[in-house]
Amino acid sequence: MTHAPSSPEAGSAAQTPASDALQVPSPEPDAVKASNEAEAIESHGHGHTGFWGLAIGAIGVVFGDIGTSPLYAMREALHHTRAGTNPHLATFGVISLVFWALLLLVTVKYVIFLMRADNKGEGGTLALMALAQKALGRPSQTVFFLGMCGAALFYGDSLITPALSVMSAIEGLKDAPGVGHSVDGYIVPISIVILVALFLVQSKGTAKVARFFGPVMLAWFIVIAGMGAYYVAQKPMILQSLSPVYGIQFLLANGLTGFIILGSVFLVVTGAEALYADMGHFGKRPINMAWLWVVFPCLILNYLGQGALTLVDPTAHENPFWRMVPDMFYWPVMLLATMATVIASQAVITGAYSMTQQAVQLGLMPRIDIQRTSETQAGQIFVPQINTMLMIGVLVLIVMFQSSDKLTSAYGIAVTGTMFISTIMAYIVIRKVWLWPKVRTLALLIPLGIIEAIFMASNLTKFFSGAWMPLAFGLVLILIMHTWTKGTRTLTEKARRDSVSLLDLADMLKKRPPHRVAGTAIFLTSDAELAPVALMHNLKHNKVLHEKNIILTVKTTNTPRVDEANRITIDILNEDFKRITVAYGFMESPNLPRALGLCRKLGLKFDIMSTSFFLGKRNVVPSANSGMPIWQDKLFIFLMKNATNPTEFFHIPPGRVVELGTQVTV
């Protein structure tokens, strides 16, 4: 899969123009077939054993965000109901909308259909983008742009979720027995302390803590279901609200206000993308079963219970979740809610790390420092720059909005955007991979797309109340990604115009042999057909050629992972040059020494500690004739200069690296 015509840089995550080593996404070999669900689970090594172990693990990691929505979703929807609306109709209408939103957008779209569109067991926006590109059989700028937008909006969601979730739990102190509003001034500081502590422990890894996520969240769902069942038993008539008739009547009775209320109702499905994005971590069936048998029933019971409570006590609409907690259990539930919101935040933060790794590998972003916090668990990574960015962003949000009800205005738009994008890309997969007829495909996706578009439009009405924030953040990221891909494409095209064919160079060296030195030289390059810049400079300035010369290209495939058997491809040009291609999936981090160790099995032996790695380093200067405005040139150069050093990124022994530079314009 390539994102741009003739653009190695645009398709590389692992490499940037700062070095001559750039990755090019390449089509997956036909011989490589999609791995089954068990292989996907095993490759992530989350340590859960057995089907129900995976299901409980999914409850902890996948459903944290959507599982903590009862803390604020009903409150916000009832709060925005137009004055004068029949309280009975308001309660029944909101619950009806909540139930059908969860049923259609989560159960039907994700659980029944979209989770079947997996990329070798992986899901999520970028995995779907790669799958759609593969299904088309050609590069598509439209699909690439949609994937870029989906990734950018995900980061916006990653900022708001921790702030909103934790604050909504801590605000439960206001309804605590004997406390009241005297704690108002402490809500923000307590939330900040909890979130700062959460971000600071990320570098230690979450493997040990994550094993408790499932049991804690399972306890959370059981507790909220129990509270809901208690009030449903008091007002069993609330079960009638599951009829779609009440939702329609409620929307008609509220007119334009009803349309705006849909933005608050959508809060109940925020986090639904996690079902799809985390599919590779736990597998389809464990996630589906956890949703259908635990999460969905418990959420509906709690929402029904909140509705029943407002029928018993109309004043409870101010904060129905916390009003339904019995005084004697208030503090244990408060503690459990806090732990649940921290887990929800952790899941989103981890998701942002994973999204960054994919974006880097797919060439959407420059190289970035990605640290592994576990030697055995592939999904355990830490990205310092993203962690710092998220922490600062979350703290700014808390200080700006001061309360969870104000934060809900900023929430939702990023999620609706991501959902809508996934629906568009799903059309390509369903038509090209599943081979559904056009009418059948549209019959499924048009209703879902219309519902998502309505929710998106409703959330846009909150633009000036806070929805502008994730959109602005997303636009900044889209600009960065666009600048990066366009700049790398420009540099690649320029390099190809100015470079010499490797085969032509080999012929010239036979006619005029240079001085030979012992040892092996590895030249990293983005295009194995051209002579690497570092090789040309070595010949020009040092006037030597090593005894063994390897032209090394690292490529990113359109699949999440590459089997070790398909990692290395060796092509012998002549006695002087060999070409090695190292393939990585878009969810893998390159490790060249480890990959080159596989060459021994293929008959190519050399000692990596006596081998020199030559990298071509480009000093880029802006140019008014590059095709980009000067300010965008400068942004691209800034991104290049702040990209992770290729030596560190590829885990090359620093003492074996030689960098040879050249100046180019962009």
Side-chain angles (χ1 to χ4, degrees), residues 301-345:
L301 261 179
N302 188 262
Y303 287 124
L304 286 168
Q306 290 189 46
L309 173 61
T310 61
L311 297 180
V312 175
D313 177 11
T315 64
H317 75 276
E318 296 175 1
N319 203 347
F321 180 86
W322 289 110
R323 290 288 186 89
M324 72 192 303
V325 182
D327 286 354
M328 64 183 298
F329 297 116
Y330 199 92
W331 291 108
V333 173
M334 177 78 190
L335 176 62
L336 186 60
T338 303
M339 293 194 311
T341 55
V342 168
I343 290 171
S345 303

Side-chain angles (χ1 to χ4, degrees), residues 252-291:
L252 294 175
N254 278 270
L256 179 61
T257 305
F259 175 72
I260 296 173
I261 288 172
L262 284 174
S264 299
V265 171
F266 186 78
L267 294 171
V268 304
V269 297
T270 53
E273 270 289 307
L275 275 78
Y276 186 44
D278 287 325
M279 179 167 55
H281 290 235
F282 300 97
K284 301 174 195 176
R285 288 189 61 246
I287 291 177
N288 290 350
M289 295 297 286
W291 169 256

